[in-house]
Amino acid sequence: MGEGDLPRTEAGVLRGHEGAVLAARFNGDGNYCLSCGKDRTIRLWNPHRGIHIKTYKSHGREVRDVHCTSDNSKLISCGGDRQIFYWDVSTGRVIRRFRGHDSEVNAVKFNDYASVVVSAGYDRSVRAWDCRSHSTEPIQIINTFQDSVMSVCLTKTEIIGGSVDGTVRTFDIRIGREISDDLGQPVNCISMSNDGNCILASCLDSTLRLVDRSAGELLQEYKGHTCKSYKLDCCLTNTDAHVAGGSEDGYVFFWDLVDASVISKFRAHSSVVTSVSYHPKEDCMITASVDGTIKVWKT
């Protein structure tokens, strides 16, 4: 895939948030997307048709992250009010609230079976919650991090967290083992390669770092963008051929995965690009910004 095949053409703008959009995510099949932000709302969209479908309101402060189950029936969200909300997508009703974090919650993810939710907090902890139980207590608490945990990824058997303490830590839930990779710079976002072999970590020294999951080896570094004070998403394209990330100056960057050269960069927003999400199958991307918009990009 060359530069011409990357989604750099603006195909639509999704407007509705009143204030900064902090995250935008495609759902599992890429037909819909979810966004959340400073206006305390979560919004469901059809980004391909530019249609706003539904707004979810219950959070008392900004919503920092949102994730959808693979069957699109449930949502999980978190934010500044220290709470995690488990929603029914179609009715917009909150099924359950998970409370227990002592401070803001930065990130949430469902496991593959949508039975467990994992959250990452400013209180230095990662917590796991059982969606099927009526208990509001976490089923597991991981508190070996030395600073705020900003981002979390899950495999079938592991919880992976990225922290301001400079580490990416992997917890094997079955055997209770922890592996820590120290990147030496505050980590504010992690995402996994589609083949599951690598973790891409966005660090606050304006560098993305690609780490081999099995050996913990630093494979590559990606530079050129600005990331010093905001939580900015990063991801790999659906073929793992390119790395994508936002920048505090409103630009979006694409790097070649292997040689780390900047393949493309373009001005996507008038302010900080907080979020990038790549379509699971097509060459399509959504970006979100402090400027209050979500943009849809196609080739």
Side-chain angles (χ1 to χ4, degrees):
M1 182 159 88
E3 184 183 351
D5 303 319
L6 290 167
R8 303 180 310 151
T9 305
E10 187 180 307
V13 184
L14 308 177
R15 299 182 199 275
H17 278 286
E18 296 166 24
V21 185
L22 300 178
R25 314 253 179 264
F26 275 113
N27 72 327
D29 60 18
N31 292 334
Y32 299 95
C33 71
L34 287 158
S35 61
C36 59
K38 285 265 181 160
D39 64 2
R40 310 179 182 187
T41 70
I42 299 147
R43 290 165 195 261
L44 174 65
W45 314 81
N46 180 329
H48 310 289
R49 297 175 61 196
I51 296 169
H52 171 250
I53 300 165
K54 201 170 183 68
T55 300
Y56 302 84
K57 293 182 184 178
S58 252
H59 276 283
R61 286 184 63 190
E62 84 282 353
V63 189
R64 297 190 176 193
D65 199 12
V66 61
H67 191 217
C68 187
T69 56
S70 51
D71 68 358
N72 300 324
S73 68
K74 306 288 189 299
L75 293 181
I76 199 82
S77 62
C78 68
D81 59 10
R82 308 179 182 186
Q83 299 187 81
I84 296 144
F85 286 73
Y86 180 52
W87 307 78
D88 183 277
V89 170
S90 57
T91 64
R93 195 172 58 84
V94 176
I95 301 166
R96 198 160 302 127
R97 301 166 188 234
F98 298 115
R99 296 185 181 94
H101 279 286
D102 299 331
S103 195
E104 295 95 332
V105 188
N106 296 317
V108 280
K109 280 269 183 356
F110 282 108
N111 69 346
D112 273 357
Y113 312 107
S115 56
V116 173
V117 164
V118 176
S119 58
Y122 194 77
D123 62 5
R124 308 180 178 188
S125 78
V126 168
R127 293 166 191 249
W129 317 81
D130 186 346
C131 295
R132 296 170 302 190
S133 142
H134 286 287
S135 167
T136 53
E137 294 297 307
I139 50 176
Q140 188 169 12
I141 301 175
I142 297 166
N143 47 21
T144 48
F145 292 96
Q146 303 298 303
D147 208 328
S148 178
V149 192
M150 298 301 292
S151 186
V152 67
C153 289
L154 306 180
T155 69
K156 284 190 166 56
T157 58
E158 298 153 310
I159 296 171
I160 307 155
S163 170
V164 176
D165 70 10
T167 65
V168 174
R169 297 175 198 246
T170 303
F171 305 88
D172 191 312
I173 305 156
R174 293 174 306 178
I175 58 175
R177 183 185 60 168
E178 174 187 333
I179 300 167
S180 178
D181 295 312
D182 192 353
L183 299 186
Q185 294 288 338
V187 176
N188 70 356
C189 176
I190 57 171
S191 72
M192 203 177 309
S193 60
N194 298 284
D195 63 13
N197 293 334
C198 301
I199 286 280
L200 181 66
S202 168
C203 300
L204 284 176
D205 61 341
S206 300
T207 307
L208 303 181
R209 291 178 168 86
L210 188 70
V211 180
D212 176 80
R213 293 230 308 124
S214 56
E217 180 190 356
L218 180 64
L219 299 176
Q220 193 53 277
E221 296 186 336
Y222 309 89
K223 298 174 187 275
H225 65 300
T226 305
C227 176
K228 292 177 177 166
S229 50
Y230 282 83
K231 178 180 178 177
L232 306 187
D233 278 346
C234 55
C235 66
L236 287 97
T237 59
N238 53 30
T239 58
D240 283 341
H242 296 90
V243 168
S247 180
E248 290 177 8
D249 57 9
Y251 278 77
V252 166
F253 282 71
F254 285 105
W255 293 267
D256 182 90
L257 178 82
V258 179
D259 70 14
S261 59
V262 175
I263 300 290
S264 176
K265 65 173 208 179
F266 59 95
R267 185 78 187 264
H269 291 273
S270 61
S271 186
V272 178
V273 181
T274 50
S275 207
V276 292
S277 180
Y278 210 88
H279 193 285
K281 296 184 282 286
E282 298 163 17
D283 288 317
C284 174
M285 178 178 66
I286 52 172
T287 59
S289 171
V290 169
D291 70 13
T293 66
I294 300 140
K295 292 190 179 180
V296 185
W297 304 88
K298 302 204 171 172
T299 50

